[in-house]
Amino acid sequence: MHERESADLAATLIRQAVLGEGCTLRPLVLHADNGSPMKGATMKTTMEKLGITASYSRPRVSNDNPYSEALFRTCK
């Protein structure tokens, strides 16, 4: 838990989760919101290095993936 959102913190979390769970050999997709930390260069670079494909909500559609959106709301 951090007091602020940042691409660096998000990249560190993703890296730790992927390596900790040992899922580096499977194709991964990360559904993210359209916030700047999730679209930042640091986060994109980390995801590319780990072989993760990004999936973003469509602009102006809040319920694109209701389960993921509910999880984001809960986590934030």
Side-chain angles (χ1 to χ4, degrees), residues 18-57:
V18 168
L19 297 176
E21 293 297 320
C23 45
T24 56
L25 300 177
R26 291 181 257 170
L28 300 174
V29 176
L30 175 68
H31 183 75
D33 61 7
N34 287 312
S36 60
M38 297 305 289
K39 288 190 163 185
T42 304
M43 187 65 172
K44 285 185 177 183
T45 302
T46 299
M47 289 172 52
E48 286 174 8
K49 287 180 181 177
L50 295 171
I52 299 172
T53 303
S55 165
Y56 297 104
S57 298

Side-chain angles (χ1 to χ4, degrees), residues 1-2 5 33-38 69-76:
M1 190 64 80
H2 298 281
E5 277 187 295
D33 61 7
N34 287 312
S36 60
M38 297 305 289
E69 297 300 328
L71 177 63
F72 286 134
R73 225 178 354 265
T74 300
C75 291
K76 285 183 175 184

